Amino acid sequence: MSDTVKRFESFMTSNCYVVRPNIADQLCYIVDLPPDIEEVFEYVEKNNLSIAGVLLTHGHYDHTLGLNKYDDNNVFINLEDEFLARNPKDQFKNLLVGEDIDVDTFEGTLNSVDDITSNHLIVTSNPGHTKGSSSFVFTDIGSVFTGDFVFVEGIGRTDLYSGDSNEMKESINNIFMNFNSDFTVFPGHGISDSVKQILKYNRYLWDFIND
């Protein structure tokens, strides 16, 4: 992985990334906040980086449980997923029936991705996995952060709260198919690869691509 992107894998298998759109300065973005986020903050501090914003690809708990460990107000999410990000306990109830998991709601500031002001960054809305699923495209470094929208060898589930297979199909055809084929995809789980290679080898994706 290049100097511009540093990947951290959570015990929940979700990825967190530290992104430096311009290696000449000390600004960075953090993509997603899994619960075990401490190593990420240590890396930022050790390298004297300044966090320009935290970008949440969607509201599922394995990508947002670190919110209560982050103190600044520069967190951005598609607000269609605000309820999910603020209420992880409700997600656990659906997954672990009969078990009472003690997790806090998030009461801090969540800003809309529409309010991001950056020359380095394009935000796309790609519902399907969740209503508010977003991808973050850093054109200067040829990188796309897709969360659980598209993986190297699969796509995000559509059978969870606010997921929709028809919206997933539209997002794949109207959003993913229009990403620069040479850009690298950094997904919410697993390894990275180019858009071109994913389109070539990801059989799950083929089922959703229009003829």
Side-chain angles (χ1 to χ4, degrees):
M1 199 164 291
S2 70
D3 292 338
T4 57
V5 179
K6 174 71 173 177
R7 171 179 172 255
F8 299 84
E9 185 178 16
S10 167
F11 73 90
M12 289 185 161
T13 77
S14 50
N15 291 327
C16 172
Y17 300 96
V18 177
V19 186
R20 298 180 66 181
N22 183 356
I23 204 70
D25 64 35
Q26 299 305 110
L27 287 179
C28 73
Y29 291 85
I30 295 178
V31 179
D32 287 341
L33 289 177
D36 45 341
I37 198 70
E38 291 81 3
E39 184 182 2
V40 177
F41 295 150
E42 289 171 4
Y43 174 85
V44 168
E45 183 176 2
K46 179 180 178 181
N47 289 276
N48 298 312
L49 301 179
S50 177
I51 301 172
V54 169
L55 313 174
L56 301 179
T57 58
H58 62 296
H60 283 157
Y61 65 87
D62 51 335
H63 299 265
T64 61
L65 269 181
L67 277 168
N68 279 318
K69 298 177 181 178
Y70 185 69
D71 296 329
D72 287 350
N73 293 325
N74 56 349
V75 179
F76 298 90
I77 189 172
N78 183 323
L79 293 181
E80 291 279 5
D81 271 17
E82 181 178 9
F83 176 81
L84 286 171
R86 292 193 182 280
N87 298 281
K89 190 168 186 176
D90 286 355
Q91 298 178 54
F92 280 113
K93 284 180 181 178
N94 292 331
L95 290 171
L96 304 170
V97 178
E99 296 190 33
D100 187 18
I101 305 297
D102 186 20
V103 290
D104 294 329
T105 57
F106 178 67
E107 304 293 345
T109 300
L110 290 176
N111 303 287
S112 171
V113 291
D114 295 334
D115 296 333
I116 295 174
T117 56
S118 172
N119 296 325
H120 302 292
L121 176 59
I122 296 171
V123 183
T124 68
S125 173
N126 34 251
H129 180 58
T130 66
K131 193 73 173 178
S133 289
S134 301
S135 294
F136 301 100
V137 185
F138 289 85
T139 54
D140 293 350
I141 58 173
S143 300
V144 185
F145 298 83
T146 55
D148 290 2
F149 172 29
V150 172
F151 310 116
V152 170
E153 297 180 340
I155 62 171
R157 291 174 59 175
T158 60
D159 60 334
L160 301 173
Y161 175 81
S162 84
D164 187 293
S165 59
N166 291 324
E167 289 186 329
M168 176 64 83
K169 182 173 183 176
E170 289 182 9
S171 293
I172 287 170
N173 285 281
N174 298 326
I175 302 297
F176 192 83
M177 294 289 289
N178 289 319
F179 286 149
N180 186 314
S181 64
D182 292 322
F183 281 12
T184 300
V185 171
F186 295 91
H189 300 266
I191 60 173
S192 58
D193 206 343
S194 68
V195 172
K196 183 187 307 179
Q197 290 296 100
I198 291 172
L199 286 171
K200 186 175 182 180
Y201 293 111
N202 186 333
R203 294 178 179 272
Y204 293 95
L205 204 60
W206 299 350
D207 292 337
F208 284 81
I209 295 174
N210 292 332
D211 295 333

